[in-house]
Amino acid sequence: MSASDNSNGRVAVVTGASSGIGAATARRLAQDGFQVVLGARRVDRISELADEIGGRASYLDVTDAASVERFIAALDRVDVLVNNAGGAKGLAPVADADLDDWRWMWETNVIGTLRITKGLLPKLADSGDGLIITVTSTAALEAYDNGAGYTSAKHAQGVLHRTLRLELIGTPIRLTEICPGMVETEFSLVRFDGDTAKADAVYEGLEPLVADDIADIISFTASRPSRVDIDQIVVRPRDQATSRRNIKTG
Ligand code: 8X3
């Protein structure tokens, strides 16, 4: 069935939609009947996916205020916002912290989520049943060695999202935080600056989640009746107990 055959008349915005969880979510929400607006910097990738799923691709750099403004101005209606853009750079002890990596992680995960969410709040409220899904991480709940740049940014992103949940009570906007553990996407490739061997080693010897596992959860969340607010979901592979303990570390 094509997306237009089963339209539910609702619009879903997915940030970071060019790969991984964002791309899988865009595909899945289109199958669910949403008109999907895909936002990302890699326009070639999102245009191709938008053509495939009957959605719309729109350039979006969440670290750039003007880009976010243009992205939002082109939207008439928004029912669901999936804050997925973000990522990690580096895996260094605090003593060796690269300040540019930290700035990138805070700018992308925290300020980026703030910019797009703040800008879309009026449209989400106008929809009469808005939903903000923020994909944080188990790194929003735990600290791990050498991960402080990322875990601190994810904690801040989580607190931003959870604070909004308090502030928006009484408005027609629901909020769901999804905290995934290890998901095999481009995440580790970005973290290790394109070093495939290092990225592959992260997932060797265990079975990580895949992007579709998270897209499934987002699809489920977005299809609940409006009285139901799924607050927070923590999801890890069976092979991972915490950020620091998995089937390899024992
Ligand atoms: C990614 C999960 O464990 O690599 O958000 O920080 S982890």
Side-chain angles (χ1 to χ4, degrees):
M1 186 165 26
S2 79
S4 55
D5 291 330
N6 68 334
S7 169
N8 64 18
R10 303 176 76 212
V11 175
V13 168
V14 181
T15 71
S18 54
S19 66
I21 293 171
T25 298
R27 193 174 271 119
R28 186 60 191 265
L29 291 180
Q31 284 164 3
D32 292 345
F34 284 92
Q35 165 71 36
V36 180
V37 181
L38 300 92
R41 285 171 304 168
R42 292 179 288 188
V43 175
D44 50 337
R45 286 212 196 179
I46 51 173
S47 297
E48 202 174 307
L49 181 52
D51 286 348
E52 181 193 322
I53 66 176
R56 183 156 73 74
S58 191
Y59 176 82
L60 175 65
D61 177 355
V62 296
T63 69
D64 175 1
S67 161
V68 172
E69 271 173 37
R70 276 194 298 274
F71 181 86
I72 290 174
L75 296 166
D76 291 330
R77 167 187 180 144
V78 179
D79 299 84
V80 176
L81 165 63
V82 182
N83 281 316
N84 168 71
K89 276 206 176 168
L91 197 58
V94 173
D96 298 329
D98 179 318
L99 296 192
D100 286 336
D101 283 351
W102 273 64
R103 275 191 203 95
W104 183 88
M105 287 186 271
W106 276 75
E107 189 65 43
T108 311
N109 293 285
V110 188
I111 310 295
T113 299
L114 172 61
R115 273 199 189 97
I116 190 86
T117 306
K118 181 181 173 201
L120 284 178
L121 284 178
K123 289 188 163 84
L124 287 158
D126 285 350
S127 77
D129 184 20
L131 171 64
I132 299 169
I133 299 176
T134 304
V135 181
T136 62
S137 168
T138 47
L141 309 171
E142 301 167 9
Y144 57 83
D145 303 43
N146 308 331
Y150 182 64
T151 57
S152 64
K154 281 294 179 184
H155 274 70
Q157 184 191 31
V159 172
L160 157 65
H161 172 97
R162 290 166 223 155
T163 303
L164 256 186
R165 194 163 196 285
L166 303 172
E167 292 174 353
L168 294 181
I169 194 78
T171 72
I173 299 179
R174 294 178 279 163
L175 288 104
T176 300
E177 178 182 0
I178 301 177
C179 313
M182 291 170 115
V183 186
E184 187 162 12
T185 60
E186 290 179 0
F187 173 83
S188 290
L189 206 57
V190 174
R191 166 170 262 178
F192 297 119
D193 205 17
D195 186 326
T196 322
K198 272 191 185 168
D200 288 348
V202 173
Y203 307 111
E204 257 163 36
L206 54 75
E207 187 176 1
L209 299 175
V210 296
D212 277 335
D213 296 326
I214 310 305
D216 261 352
I217 293 170
I218 291 173
S219 163
F220 174 79
T221 302
S223 57
R224 294 310 88 203
S226 61
R227 66 179 176 277
V228 178
D229 190 326
I230 297 175
D231 186 339
Q232 186 185 59
I233 294 179
V234 181
V235 52
R236 309 176 202 263
R238 188 180 62 188
D239 289 350
Q240 186 184 30
T242 72
S243 295
R244 283 179 293 179
R245 288 197 59 194
N246 60 51
I247 200 163
K248 292 191 285 186
T249 60

